[in-house]
């Protein structure tokens, strides 16, 4: 190893980066066998985990859920540090789970109609994810005809097959008492609502962009999905708590990484023969034996652009192709504070929009959100999710535009609801208006944040789980001596983050596992594992 201890620099202080730092420091750094450093471009730790407060309630601007508690390392940590209970109200979604589904125009829908489409959608998703094999073989035939393209096309073919099974009877039948809606258009609107929920789960702006075959590889932990009462940041703070002051350096954004792909790149004497040279935007320089890159896939996509020059020499073709093929979408959360004029609770509202009839009262950016619900029982703070181009458009709107758009939408949907007739008054123009007034909003803006450029990854059409494995491959994998006599040190650049995990991508626990994987890779390299 030489007289100088190896230096590991971790780029990014999110879940993956801090997990790696925690493991490396506790195993070898505190024994002064390794020098560990975390550089973070922003002014805070946490990455895409960002706990905040809104109107006295603890909320999550980024990562929200523990996706299954059985076997989840995040749940284990949260339980260990007593973060699952809190005296302060938090975003726990513990209200009445029985949704109120209303079609555009204010018409409450019969639960049996909604459940029939919900059952259809869930069965199609279960089949796509390998959880269900149908006896009639219909889904199998649809899957074969899908030719391995997109989840969206599979779902739509499933809806078409459903309509064929009822001989098209619903297409032209108008629904009594519901203007402008036929039975078929209602079913399509309900199906689209569930598609929009799925978009926020996956971050794919359009399910037509989501690879069908990869759905079977994605894994969730068993057990309930919960939020963390004391905030996701409590887990991040726990991981960082073992690190000594100064190990994490904030406001240190990396502009370029020079590495020795073929051993021909030689640094000046000040490098102490380190393999990687990091250039920061403030002009400073740092040398390292190993760099663990945990930036988002969105930043990597920008970084491989030929004008970016993030890597010198550029990453090899197999790596850049994987980065290019994988999908990275935008999901944003919008919190709204209501000021009801009467003491009435807001429902768990599911919104069914016309798929072909434009409504000038409802802005287009609202048309692909699916629900609006209190963040905890009896709360006047509501939450709505946005994905894709609507999520990006939301980022560009000022608060007044958002308040106006939501106020009009809420009024339109609750206009004729029997549950809210007592709370509707006639205003001066003779039209009914809901007494639920939006008075304050708070939104996330992951798409426009230059440190992230999006929310989380997905396997896009044209990509596969193999690309997630390629994302995890270090550069170079092993030591090599070239014909020119140059020596290439191994493991100069390593990659971690949710987009590097084949079965748990898009999750905080996927990021955790990836950080642990790269830390162990280096510890094994230096035979420090058993120390």
């Amino acid at each position: 190893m030489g007289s100088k201890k190896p230096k590991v620099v971790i780029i990014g202080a999110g879940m993956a980066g801090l997990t790696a730092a925690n493991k490396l420091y506790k195993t070898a750094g505190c024994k002064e066998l390794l020098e560990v450093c975390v550089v973070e471009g922003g002014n805070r730790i946490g990455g895409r985990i960002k706990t905040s407060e809104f109107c006295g309630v603890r909320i999550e601007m980024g990562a929200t859920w523990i996706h299954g508690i059985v076997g989840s390392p995040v749940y284990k940590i949260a339980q260990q540090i007593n973060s699952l209970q809190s005296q302060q109200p938090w975003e726990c979604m513990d209200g009445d789970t029985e949704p109120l589904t209303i079609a555009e125009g204010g018409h409450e829908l019969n639960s049996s109609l909604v459940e029939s489409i919900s059952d259809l959608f869930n069965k199609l998703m279960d089949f796509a994810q390998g959880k269900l094999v149908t006896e009639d073989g219909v889904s199998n035939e649809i899957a074969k005809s899908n030719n391995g393209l997109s989840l969206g096309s599979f779902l739509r073919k499933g809806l078409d097959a459903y309509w064929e099974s009822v001989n098209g009877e619903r297409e032209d039948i108008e629904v009594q008492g519901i203007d402008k809606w036929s039975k078929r258009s209602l079913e399509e609107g309900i199906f689209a609502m569930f598609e929009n929920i799925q978009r926020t789960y996956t971050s794919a702006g359009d399910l037509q962009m989501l690879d069908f075959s990869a759905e079977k590889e994605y894994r969730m932990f068993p057990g309930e999905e919960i939020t963390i009462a004391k905030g996701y940041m409590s887990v991040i703070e726990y991981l960082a708590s073992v690190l000594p002051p100064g190990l994490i350096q904030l406001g240190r954004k990396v502009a370029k990484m020079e590495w020795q792909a073929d051993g021909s790149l030689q640094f000046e004497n000040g490098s102490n023969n380190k393999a990687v040279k990091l250039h920061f935007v403030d002009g400073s320089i740092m040398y390292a034996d190993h760099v663990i890159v945990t930036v988002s896939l969105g930043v990597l996509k920008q970084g491989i652009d030929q004008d970016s020059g993030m890597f010198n020499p550029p990453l090899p073709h197999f790596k850049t192709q994987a980065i290019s093929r994988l999908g990275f979408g935008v999901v944003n959360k919008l919190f709204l504070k209501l000021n009801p004029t009467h003491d009435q609770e807001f429902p768990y509202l599911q919104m069914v929009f016309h798929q072909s009839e434009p409504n000038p009262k409802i802005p287009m950016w609202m048309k692909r959100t699916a629900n609006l619900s209190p963040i905890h029982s009896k709360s006047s703070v509501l939450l709505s999710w946005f994905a894709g181009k609507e999520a990006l458009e939301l980022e560009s709107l000022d608060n007044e535009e958002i308040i106006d758009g939501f106020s009009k939408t809420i009024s339109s949907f609750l206009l004729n609801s029997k549950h809210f007739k007592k709370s509707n008054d006639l205003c001066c123009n003779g039209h009914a208006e809901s007494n639920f007034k939006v008075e304050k909003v708070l939104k996330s803006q992951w798409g426009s944040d230059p440190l992230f450029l999006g929310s989380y990854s997905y396997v896009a059409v044209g990509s596969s789980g193999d690309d997630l494995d390629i994302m995890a491959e270090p550069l170079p994998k092993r030591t090599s001596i070239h014909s020119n006599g140059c020596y290439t040190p191994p493991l100069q650049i390593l990659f971690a983050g949710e987009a590097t995990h084949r079965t748990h991508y898009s999750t905080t626990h996927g990021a955790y596992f990836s950080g642990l994987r790269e830390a162990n890779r280096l510890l094994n390299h230096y035979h420090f594992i058993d120390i």
Side-chain angles (χ1 to χ4, degrees), residues 385-417:
W385 295 74
F386 293 80
K389 65 180 182 180
E390 293 80 22
L392 283 172
E393 184 173 357
L394 183 72
E395 296 188 22
S396 68
L397 300 175
D398 60 38
N399 288 352
E400 289 71 22
E401 290 176 289
I402 295 172
I403 289 173
D404 181 65
F406 260 95
S407 296
K408 288 178 178 177
T409 302
I410 292 172
S411 296
S412 173
F413 272 84
L414 300 185
L415 185 65
N416 299 314
S417 170

Side-chain angles (χ1 to χ4, degrees), residues 251-453:
R252 298 276 278 159
K253 187 175 181 181
V254 175
K256 182 170 66 173
M257 282 172 264
E258 291 186 83
W259 62 294
Q260 301 182 35
D262 59 5
S264 62
L265 185 64
Q266 298 297 320
F267 301 139
E268 57 266 33
N269 292 334
S271 69
N272 289 322
N273 296 318
K274 303 294 186 188
V276 185
K277 182 179 182 181
L278 299 175
H279 299 259
F280 295 88
V281 293
D282 63 4
S284 60
I285 289 170
M286 184 182 291
Y287 295 95
D289 294 280
H290 313 281
V291 174
I292 303 178
V293 178
T294 74
V295 299
S296 76
L297 178 59
V299 172
L300 285 176
K301 283 179 177 291
Q302 183 188 68
I304 63 172
D305 183 89
Q306 61 181 5
D307 296 326
S308 168
M310 185 176 183
F311 297 94
N312 180 33
L315 297 178
H317 185 71
F318 76 90
K319 182 74 79 169
T320 59
Q321 287 299 295
I323 292 170
S324 298
R325 285 190 295 258
L326 286 168
F328 192 71
V330 182
V331 175
N332 278 318
K333 299 173 72 174
L334 179 66
F335 297 92
L336 307 97
K337 174 66 170 68
L338 292 184
N339 181 21
T341 56
H342 298 295
D343 185 19
Q344 190 166 19
E345 294 176 24
F346 198 89
Y348 181 93
L349 178 63
Q350 293 188 151
M351 296 178 284
V352 176
F353 293 95
H354 270 295
Q355 297 303 293
S356 56
E357 293 276 345
N359 185 342
K361 294 182 180 179
I362 299 176
M364 288 303 296
W365 52 268
M366 278 292 306
K367 298 279 283 187
R368 294 183 79 191
T369 188
N371 43 46
L372 183 62
S373 57
I375 62 173
H376 65 77
S377 180
K378 301 181 180 180
S379 177
S380 60
V381 175
L382 309 182
L383 170 62
S384 191
W385 295 74
F386 293 80
K389 65 180 182 180
E390 293 80 22
L392 283 172
E393 184 173 357
L394 183 72
E395 296 188 22
S396 68
L397 300 175
D398 60 38
N399 288 352
E400 289 71 22
E401 290 176 289
I402 295 172
I403 289 173
D404 181 65
F406 260 95
S407 296
K408 288 178 178 177
T409 302
I410 292 172
S411 296
S412 173
F413 272 84
L414 300 185
L415 185 65
N416 299 314
S417 170
K418 63 185 178 184
H419 290 82
F420 294 93
K421 282 185 178 178
K422 290 183 180 179
S423 70
N424 292 333
D425 296 326
L426 290 176
C427 39
C428 56
N429 59 10
H431 295 291
E433 185 172 292
S434 169
N435 283 303
F436 290 102
K437 309 293 183 185
V438 181
E439 63 178 30
K440 190 175 182 182
V441 298
L442 179 66
K443 62 186 177 183
S444 60
Q445 301 183 73
W446 297 106
S448 56
D449 191 320
L451 293 176
F452 306 101
L453 300 174

Side-chain angles (χ1 to χ4, degrees), residues 153-225:
S153 62
F154 168 76
L155 291 172
R156 282 291 160 158
K157 286 175 181 177
L159 180 60
D160 289 340
Y162 167 77
W163 281 332
E164 287 178 13
S165 72
V166 294
N167 299 318
E169 294 174 3
R170 290 165 167 76
E171 185 171 2
D172 299 316
I173 298 176
E174 291 187 2
V175 182
Q176 187 175 4
I178 304 184
D179 298 334
K180 298 183 179 180
W181 288 97
S182 68
K183 192 69 173 292
R184 179 161 177 158
S185 65
L186 269 178
E187 290 175 336
E188 184 179 18
I190 296 167
F191 197 86
M193 177 183 74
F194 290 117
E195 286 178 315
N196 289 332
I197 294 172
Q198 195 66 30
R199 289 168 62 234
T200 64
Y201 291 166
T202 63
S203 90
D206 190 328
L207 297 183
Q208 299 289 341
M209 302 161 60
L210 196 63
D211 184 71
F212 173 78
S213 59
E215 283 296 302
K216 288 184 173 64
E217 289 196 86
Y218 187 82
R219 294 289 178 267
M220 286 184 62
F221 291 115
E224 61 181 320
E225 295 186 77

Side-chain angles (χ1 to χ4, degrees), residues 452-474:
F452 306 101
L453 300 174
S455 302
Y456 37 91
S457 63
Y458 63 92
V459 181
V461 171
S463 184
S464 72
D466 291 344
D467 286 325
L468 293 161
D469 285 341
I470 292 171
M471 288 290 299
E473 290 188 20

